[in-house]
Amino acid sequence: MKVKGVIEHIRNSAQLASILEVSGYPKPGNVHRTRDHPDTRYEHFLAGAIALGSSVELSAKRGVMASRGKIEISKIGVGRLIRKAVIDVAKSHMDGNTHLGICLLFIPLSTAAAKTYMEEGEISIPQLRKNFMEIMNSTTATDTINVYEAIRIAGTPKDLGEVKDGRFPDIYDKNFRRKIINEDIKLIDVMRESSSYDTVAKELSNGIEISSELGYKELMEVYQKTRDINIAIVHTFLRILSEYPDTFIARKIGLKKVRDIKRAVEIGIKETEWISETAREILNLGGLTTEEGKVKLWKFDDELQKLGDDYNPGTTADLTATSIMIALLMGLKY
């Protein structure tokens, strides 16, 4: 595949993955094609998915350059590209933060994919993950500053954006730029620290392990059995949720009890164990492939939707989107 074709493939995969993820229904608690939230509509997510394209394309180009030795890995500018993606999404609709987690994951994934294509001529999971981690391990303090700014631009509530371990400044610390530069805090350092209470950070520091080793494999297995992309997407969402409690929900629930973010997530996960248990039960019933599974799934969606925004499995949606993008990069046609 020529360079232009590689870049187009990566951009198309990212945009389509984001569209397919939000279109999957019913994904319990999420916005999907048959369910809007009070302040966020399905159409907002479609707009954001298209708006991601420019930053993804730039990321892929930087990956090509890195593969050819035209720029150092540390000069790719992952943080700046994430910041641009968040700004582009925010400009695309009236709702604000619809794609922060996806921006954080898709930008280094796009760069790693381009680098992998140029080096190998194809995508393999081991090489993709290796390049992803090489990129993350080469991030700089400037990348950290740009990601902090992206999180602020996305309008993340202050308590959900806190990073306090004694070394790392809080997202909303007015002196965060100076502290990050003085301490030379690299983006990978922040993601490793945050990985104990944020699954997106865990993916960024572990080479997209959940998306590539669980989500992608579940998606492909279900699709090969059903030949139905919606069933494959919903079951991937449920599989991830069943094995990894949604930290977006856990933070919001736990922070109502304690202010320490790590302790809050521990409490939140314990109090919402029933969500992962229900996802497992639905899959055991056959999910969307059986009437009993369908009934329980729609009931589960109704239940989470009625509980409100605190019960929106947004992190699970981000990992599902990343799993879909990997499948598309690998050549999935449906």
Side-chain angles (χ1 to χ4, degrees):
M1 191 182 298
K2 294 182 179 179
V3 172
K4 184 178 179 181
V6 167
I7 292 169
E8 288 180 352
H9 178 52
I10 293 169
R11 175 173 181 156
N12 291 344
S13 296
Q15 290 175 309
L16 181 55
S18 189
I19 289 171
L20 287 173
E21 184 282 316
V22 73
S23 298
Y25 75 100
K27 296 193 317 301
N30 282 173
V31 170
H32 50 75
R33 75 174 81 174
T34 69
R35 183 87 71 167
D36 292 326
H37 284 179
D39 298 321
T40 314
R41 294 178 58 88
Y42 172 64
E43 292 85 357
H44 291 143
F45 282 89
L46 296 182
I50 300 304
L52 285 168
S54 175
S55 297
V56 167
E57 183 173 320
L58 287 173
S59 301
K61 288 179 179 178
R62 303 291 282 182
V64 170
M65 293 173 68
S67 72
R68 293 177 166 180
K70 293 185 177 180
I71 58 171
E72 297 176 12
I73 301 292
S74 62
K75 302 294 184 183
I76 287 173
V78 167
R80 178 177 54 81
L81 291 162
I82 290 170
R83 182 177 182 275
K84 179 186 182 315
V86 169
I87 290 172
D88 289 346
V89 169
K91 288 179 178 178
S92 72
H93 56 73
M94 299 293 289
D95 183 61
N97 176 19
T98 52
H99 288 77
L100 175 59
I102 284 177
C103 292
L104 287 164
L105 291 162
F106 276 23
I107 294 304
L109 175 55
S110 299
T111 307
K115 190 171 184 294
T116 304
Y117 266 122
M118 298 308 297
E119 293 170 347
E120 305 292 324
E122 60 181 5
I123 291 284
S124 70
I125 295 296
Q127 192 62 35
L128 180 65
R129 293 189 62 196
K130 179 182 177 182
N131 282 331
F132 187 98
M133 283 314 304
E134 182 182 8
I135 290 162
M136 288 303 301
N137 286 330
S138 299
T139 54
T140 66
T142 301
D143 290 316
T144 307
I145 289 171
N146 276 296
V147 168
Y148 268 54
E149 290 175 348
I151 294 171
R152 291 164 65 112
I153 290 165
T156 302
K158 290 188 177 182
D159 51 6
L160 294 183
E162 287 181 327
V163 177
K164 294 181 178 178
D165 77 329
R167 179 190 174 195
F168 301 144
D170 178 70
I171 294 291
Y172 289 94
D173 184 335
K174 64 181 180 180
N175 296 314
F176 77 86
R177 296 174 183 85
R178 175 176 56 79
K179 292 178 180 178
I180 288 170
I181 293 296
N182 289 346
E183 296 292 328
D184 191 29
I185 300 170
K186 298 174 175 59
L187 182 59
I188 187 63
D189 299 330
V190 176
M191 292 301 124
R192 283 177 178 147
E193 169 61 25
S194 304
S195 66
S196 64
Y197 55 83
D198 185 289
T199 312
V200 169
K202 185 175 183 178
E203 284 288 87
L204 289 166
S205 57
N206 286 348
I208 50 174
E209 181 177 15
I210 299 170
S211 302
S212 58
E213 300 299 332
L214 177 64
Y216 162 70
K217 291 179 180 179
E218 177 76 8
L219 181 76
M220 294 307 299
E221 181 178 330
V222 176
Y223 180 70
Q224 287 167 5
K225 288 180 179 178
T226 65
R227 292 295 165 178
D228 187 310
I229 192 63
N230 185 67
I231 293 175
I233 289 167
V234 173
H235 282 217
T236 299
F237 177 91
L238 291 170
R239 181 65 65 196
I240 293 170
L241 184 59
S242 73
E243 297 194 24
Y244 294 91
D246 194 283
T247 50
F248 188 58
I249 293 177
R251 285 203 305 278
K252 288 188 284 187
I253 299 303
L255 283 167
K256 294 180 179 181
K257 306 291 180 65
V258 298
R259 302 315 300 167
D260 177 77
I261 188 71
K262 293 182 182 179
R263 180 62 181 143
V265 169
E266 290 175 1
I267 292 171
I269 288 174
K270 187 173 183 180
E271 291 195 5
T272 58
E273 285 177 343
W274 63 272
I275 294 176
S276 291
E277 290 172 2
T278 304
R280 280 193 293 273
E281 290 171 6
I282 292 167
L283 287 171
N284 289 337
L285 290 171
L288 286 173
T289 66
T290 66
E291 285 305 313
E292 191 176 3
K294 286 179 185 177
V295 169
K296 191 169 183 65
L297 178 56
W298 279 103
K299 183 179 178 181
F300 187 33
D301 186 31
D302 287 338
E303 185 174 9
L304 292 184
Q305 301 287 354
K306 289 175 182 176
L307 286 170
D309 286 343
D310 285 352
Y311 288 83
N312 170 17
T315 299
T316 306
D318 296 334
L319 270 59
T320 301
T322 307
S323 303
I324 299 167
M325 182 172 171
I326 293 169
L328 293 170
L329 289 170
M330 297 280 287
L332 171 66
K333 298 289 190 297
Y334 61 91

mmCIF file of all heavy atoms in Angstrom, residues 154-180:
data_model
loop_
_atom_site.group_PDB
_atom_site.id
_atom_site.type_symbol
_atom_site.label_atom_id
_atom_site.label_comp_id
_atom_site.label_asym_id
_atom_site.label_seq_id
_atom_site.Cartn_x
_atom_site.Cartn_y
_atom_site.Cartn_z
ATOM 1 N N ALA A 154 -11.875 20.001 27.007
ATOM 2 C CA ALA A 154 -13.018 19.093 26.894
ATOM 3 C C ALA A 154 -14.061 19.342 27.978
ATOM 4 O O ALA A 154 -15.178 18.821 27.904
ATOM 5 C CB ALA A 154 -12.545 17.642 26.963
ATOM 6 N N GLY A 155 -13.705 20.142 28.976
ATOM 7 C CA GLY A 155 -14.669 20.486 30.019
ATOM 8 C C GLY A 155 -14.838 19.411 31.066
ATOM 9 O O GLY A 155 -15.896 19.324 31.711
ATOM 10 N N THR A 156 -13.800 18.583 31.264
ATOM 11 C CA THR A 156 -13.872 17.547 32.284
ATOM 12 C C THR A 156 -14.061 18.188 33.655
ATOM 13 O O THR A 156 -13.316 19.097 34.021
ATOM 14 C CB THR A 156 -12.569 16.716 32.288
ATOM 15 O OG1 THR A 156 -12.388 16.166 30.994
ATOM 16 C CG2 THR A 156 -12.640 15.605 33.322
ATOM 17 N N PRO A 157 -15.059 17.754 34.435
ATOM 18 C CA PRO A 157 -15.260 18.304 35.777
ATOM 19 C C PRO A 157 -13.989 18.219 36.612
ATOM 20 O O PRO A 157 -13.218 17.264 36.493
ATOM 21 C CB PRO A 157 -16.367 17.424 36.362
ATOM 22 C CG PRO A 157 -17.106 16.929 35.173
ATOM 23 C CD PRO A 157 -16.071 16.746 34.101
ATOM 24 N N LYS A 158 -13.756 19.204 37.461
ATOM 25 C CA LYS A 158 -12.502 19.274 38.199
ATOM 26 C C LYS A 158 -12.197 18.026 39.000
ATOM 27 O O LYS A 158 -11.071 17.534 39.008
ATOM 28 C CB LYS A 158 -12.502 20.501 39.116
ATOM 29 C CG LYS A 158 -12.403 21.821 38.348
ATOM 30 C CD LYS A 158 -12.206 23.005 39.284
ATOM 31 C CE LYS A 158 -12.034 24.285 38.472
ATOM 32 N NZ LYS A 158 -11.784 25.456 39.341
ATOM 33 N N ASP A 159 -13.202 17.472 39.671
ATOM 34 C CA ASP A 159 -12.918 16.301 40.503
ATOM 35 C C ASP A 159 -12.601 15.067 39.663
ATOM 36 O O ASP A 159 -11.818 14.208 40.058
ATOM 37 C CB ASP A 159 -14.065 16.005 41.470
ATOM 38 C CG ASP A 159 -15.425 15.935 40.797
ATOM 39 O OD1 ASP A 159 -15.474 15.997 39.556
ATOM 40 O OD2 ASP A 159 -16.427 15.829 41.525
ATOM 41 N N LEU A 160 -13.170 14.981 38.445
ATOM 42 C CA LEU A 160 -12.879 13.836 37.585
ATOM 43 C C LEU A 160 -11.525 13.965 36.909
ATOM 44 O O LEU A 160 -10.976 12.992 36.396
ATOM 45 C CB LEU A 160 -13.969 13.670 36.517
ATOM 46 C CG LEU A 160 -15.358 13.291 37.010
ATOM 47 C CD1 LEU A 160 -16.290 13.095 35.831
ATOM 48 C CD2 LEU A 160 -15.332 12.042 37.875
ATOM 49 N N GLY A 161 -10.977 15.184 36.882
ATOM 50 C CA GLY A 161 -9.696 15.402 36.216
ATOM 51 C C GLY A 161 -8.526 15.531 37.159
ATOM 52 O O GLY A 161 -7.428 15.858 36.746
ATOM 53 N N GLU A 162 -8.730 15.246 38.439
ATOM 54 C CA GLU A 162 -7.667 15.407 39.416
ATOM 55 C C GLU A 162 -6.558 14.372 39.227
ATOM 56 O O GLU A 162 -6.811 13.212 38.979
ATOM 57 C CB GLU A 162 -8.225 15.284 40.836
ATOM 58 C CG GLU A 162 -9.033 16.496 41.251
ATOM 59 C CD GLU A 162 -9.565 16.356 42.671
ATOM 60 O OE1 GLU A 162 -9.858 15.223 43.080
ATOM 61 O OE2 GLU A 162 -9.677 17.380 43.340
ATOM 62 N N VAL A 163 -5.332 14.843 39.339
ATOM 63 C CA VAL A 163 -4.173 13.960 39.362
ATOM 64 C C VAL A 163 -3.324 14.418 40.534
ATOM 65 O O VAL A 163 -2.636 15.426 40.459
ATOM 66 C CB VAL A 163 -3.344 14.038 38.056
ATOM 67 C CG1 VAL A 163 -2.119 13.156 38.157
ATOM 68 C CG2 VAL A 163 -4.193 13.657 36.862
ATOM 69 N N LYS A 164 -3.401 13.700 41.634
ATOM 70 C CA LYS A 164 -2.689 14.116 42.838
ATOM 71 C C LYS A 164 -1.957 12.929 43.451
ATOM 72 O O LYS A 164 -2.564 12.058 44.052
ATOM 73 C CB LYS A 164 -3.674 14.690 43.864
ATOM 74 C CG LYS A 164 -4.333 15.991 43.413
ATOM 75 C CD LYS A 164 -5.279 16.523 44.468
ATOM 76 C CE LYS A 164 -5.905 17.841 44.043
ATOM 77 N NZ LYS A 164 -6.865 18.348 45.036
ATOM 78 N N ASP A 165 -0.643 12.896 43.252
ATOM 79 C CA ASP A 165 0.131 11.846 43.907
ATOM 80 C C ASP A 165 1.344 12.428 44.611
ATOM 81 O O ASP A 165 2.238 11.701 45.013
ATOM 82 C CB ASP A 165 0.559 10.789 42.894
ATOM 83 C CG ASP A 165 1.729 11.265 42.040
ATOM 84 O OD1 ASP A 165 1.822 12.477 41.806
ATOM 85 O OD2 ASP A 165 2.548 10.421 41.649
ATOM 86 N N GLY A 166 1.362 13.768 44.766
ATOM 87 C CA GLY A 166 2.482 14.420 45.403
ATOM 88 C C GLY A 166 3.479 14.956 44.409
ATOM 89 O O GLY A 166 4.115 15.975 44.639
ATOM 90 N N ARG A 167 3.609 14.285 43.265
ATOM 91 C CA ARG A 167 4.542 14.739 42.239
ATOM 92 C C ARG A 167 3.834 15.437 41.090
ATOM 93 O O ARG A 167 4.264 16.476 40.621
ATOM 94 C CB ARG A 167 5.342 13.552 41.695
ATOM 95 C CG ARG A 167 6.316 13.967 40.586
ATOM 96 C CD ARG A 167 6.939 12.777 39.888
ATOM 97 N NE ARG A 167 7.751 13.220 38.762
ATOM 98 C CZ ARG A 167 8.176 12.429 37.801
ATOM 99 N NH1 ARG A 167 7.873 11.144 37.810
ATOM 100 N NH2 ARG A 167 8.895 12.905 36.800
ATOM 101 N N PHE A 168 2.752 14.839 40.640
ATOM 102 C CA PHE A 168 2.062 15.372 39.477
ATOM 103 C C PHE A 168 1.075 16.455 39.866
ATOM 104 O O PHE A 168 0.274 16.268 40.791
ATOM 105 C CB PHE A 168 1.320 14.250 38.745
ATOM 106 C CG PHE A 168 2.221 13.141 38.281
ATOM 107 C CD1 PHE A 168 1.789 11.834 38.304
ATOM 108 C CD2 PHE A 168 3.497 13.408 37.829
ATOM 109 C CE1 PHE A 168 2.609 10.795 37.881
ATOM 110 C CE2 PHE A 168 4.332 12.394 37.401
ATOM 111 C CZ PHE A 168 3.887 11.074 37.432
ATOM 112 N N PRO A 169 1.081 17.574 39.161
ATOM 113 C CA PRO A 169 0.111 18.635 39.469
ATOM 114 C C PRO A 169 -1.300 18.240 39.041
ATOM 115 O O PRO A 169 -1.489 17.411 38.145
ATOM 116 C CB PRO A 169 0.614 19.821 38.637
ATOM 117 C CG PRO A 169 1.356 19.197 37.500
ATOM 118 C CD PRO A 169 1.989 17.945 38.062
ATOM 119 N N ASP A 170 -2.281 18.826 39.687
ATOM 120 C CA ASP A 170 -3.670 18.621 39.321
ATOM 121 C C ASP A 170 -3.935 19.242 37.958
ATOM 122 O O ASP A 170 -3.283 20.220 37.561
ATOM 123 C CB ASP A 170 -4.569 19.264 40.387
ATOM 124 C CG ASP A 170 -6.040 19.132 40.061
ATOM 125 O OD1 ASP A 170 -6.543 18.008 40.124
ATOM 126 O OD2 ASP A 170 -6.667 20.153 39.713
ATOM 127 N N ILE A 171 -4.898 18.652 37.226
ATOM 128 C CA ILE A 171 -5.255 19.181 35.900
ATOM 129 C C ILE A 171 -5.587 20.667 35.965
ATOM 130 O O ILE A 171 -5.258 21.438 35.058
ATOM 131 C CB ILE A 171 -6.460 18.396 35.327
ATOM 132 C CG1 ILE A 171 -6.080 16.946 35.032
ATOM 133 C CG2 ILE A 171 -7.017 19.080 34.075
ATOM 134 C CD1 ILE A 171 -5.125 16.764 33.897
ATOM 135 N N TYR A 172 -6.246 21.089 37.041
ATOM 136 C CA TYR A 172 -6.699 22.475 37.141
ATOM 137 C C TYR A 172 -5.803 23.350 38.020
ATOM 138 O O TYR A 172 -6.174 24.455 38.385
ATOM 139 C CB TYR A 172 -8.153 22.507 37.627
ATOM 140 C CG TYR A 172 -9.105 22.002 36.565
ATOM 141 C CD1 TYR A 172 -9.509 20.673 36.538
ATOM 142 C CD2 TYR A 172 -9.556 22.848 35.555
ATOM 143 C CE1 TYR A 172 -10.359 20.202 35.542
ATOM 144 C CE2 TYR A 172 -10.402 22.384 34.557
ATOM 145 C CZ TYR A 172 -10.802 21.064 34.556
ATOM 146 O OH TYR A 172 -11.639 20.608 33.565
ATOM 147 N N ASP A 173 -4.604 22.866 38.331
ATOM 148 C CA ASP A 173 -3.602 23.685 39.011
ATOM 149 C C ASP A 173 -3.163 24.791 38.048
ATOM 150 O O ASP A 173 -2.719 24.512 36.931
ATOM 151 C CB ASP A 173 -2.420 22.798 39.393
ATOM 152 C CG ASP A 173 -1.348 23.522 40.188
ATOM 153 O OD1 ASP A 173 -1.249 24.765 40.067
ATOM 154 O OD2 ASP A 173 -0.608 22.850 40.916
ATOM 155 N N LYS A 174 -3.277 26.031 38.484
ATOM 156 C CA LYS A 174 -2.948 27.148 37.587
ATOM 157 C C LYS A 174 -1.469 27.174 37.210
ATOM 158 O O LYS A 174 -1.089 27.795 36.211
ATOM 159 C CB LYS A 174 -3.360 28.480 38.220
ATOM 160 C CG LYS A 174 -2.614 28.829 39.494
ATOM 161 C CD LYS A 174 -3.103 30.161 40.051
ATOM 162 C CE LYS A 174 -2.366 30.525 41.341
ATOM 163 N NZ LYS A 174 -2.855 31.827 41.886
ATOM 164 N N ASN A 175 -0.647 26.492 37.978
ATOM 165 C CA ASN A 175 0.795 26.449 37.696
ATOM 166 C C ASN A 175 1.232 25.112 37.104
ATOM 167 O O ASN A 175 2.413 24.775 37.153
ATOM 168 C CB ASN A 175 1.581 26.710 38.986
ATOM 169 C CG ASN A 175 1.342 28.101 39.544
ATOM 170 O OD1 ASN A 175 1.368 29.080 38.811
ATOM 171 N ND2 ASN A 175 1.106 28.176 40.843
ATOM 172 N N PHE A 176 0.286 24.358 36.525
ATOM 173 C CA PHE A 176 0.629 23.011 36.071
ATOM 174 C C PHE A 176 1.700 23.015 34.993
ATOM 175 O O PHE A 176 2.562 22.126 34.954
ATOM 176 C CB PHE A 176 -0.628 22.256 35.604
ATOM 177 C CG PHE A 176 -1.157 22.638 34.251
ATOM 178 C CD1 PHE A 176 -0.672 22.048 33.092
ATOM 179 C CD2 PHE A 176 -2.173 23.589 34.127
ATOM 180 C CE1 PHE A 176 -1.176 22.382 31.841
ATOM 181 C CE2 PHE A 176 -2.678 23.926 32.884
ATOM 182 C CZ PHE A 176 -2.183 23.329 31.741
ATOM 183 N N ARG A 177 1.721 23.993 34.112
ATOM 184 C CA ARG A 177 2.709 24.024 33.032
ATOM 185 C C ARG A 177 4.129 24.133 33.601
ATOM 186 O O ARG A 177 5.034 23.375 33.203
ATOM 187 C CB ARG A 177 2.428 25.180 32.075
ATOM 188 C CG ARG A 177 1.103 25.053 31.335
ATOM 189 C CD ARG A 177 0.818 26.295 30.508
ATOM 190 N NE ARG A 177 -0.483 26.229 29.849
ATOM 191 C CZ ARG A 177 -1.631 26.583 30.430
ATOM 192 N NH1 ARG A 177 -1.620 27.010 31.703
ATOM 193 N NH2 ARG A 177 -2.762 26.489 29.775
ATOM 194 N N ARG A 178 4.314 25.060 34.512
ATOM 195 C CA ARG A 178 5.637 25.253 35.106
ATOM 196 C C ARG A 178 6.082 24.004 35.863
ATOM 197 O O ARG A 178 7.233 23.571 35.750
ATOM 198 C CB ARG A 178 5.613 26.466 36.045
ATOM 199 C CG ARG A 178 6.915 26.686 36.802
ATOM 200 C CD ARG A 178 6.876 27.951 37.642
ATOM 201 N NE ARG A 178 5.752 27.949 38.577
ATOM 202 C CZ ARG A 178 5.762 27.277 39.735
ATOM 203 N NH1 ARG A 178 6.799 26.531 40.072
ATOM 204 N NH2 ARG A 178 4.714 27.333 40.545
ATOM 205 N N LYS A 179 5.193 23.417 36.620
ATOM 206 C CA LYS A 179 5.534 22.229 37.402
ATOM 207 C C LYS A 179 5.894 21.046 36.508
ATOM 208 O O LYS A 179 6.838 20.301 36.786
ATOM 209 C CB LYS A 179 4.366 21.861 38.317
ATOM 210 C CG LYS A 179 4.118 22.874 39.432
ATOM 211 C CD LYS A 179 2.920 22.483 40.292
ATOM 212 C CE LYS A 179 2.687 23.505 41.399
ATOM 213 N NZ LYS A 179 1.490 23.160 42.230
ATOM 214 N N ILE A 180 5.171 20.880 35.417
ATOM 215 C CA ILE A 180 5.447 19.766 34.504
ATOM 216 C C ILE A 180 6.819 19.932 33.851
ATOM 217 O O ILE A 180 7.591 18.973 33.749
ATOM 218 C CB ILE A 180 4.337 19.665 33.441
ATOM 219 C CG1 ILE A 180 3.039 19.139 34.078
ATOM 220 C CG2 ILE A 180 4.761 18.752 32.285
ATOM 221 C CD1 ILE A 180 1.831 19.237 33.189
#
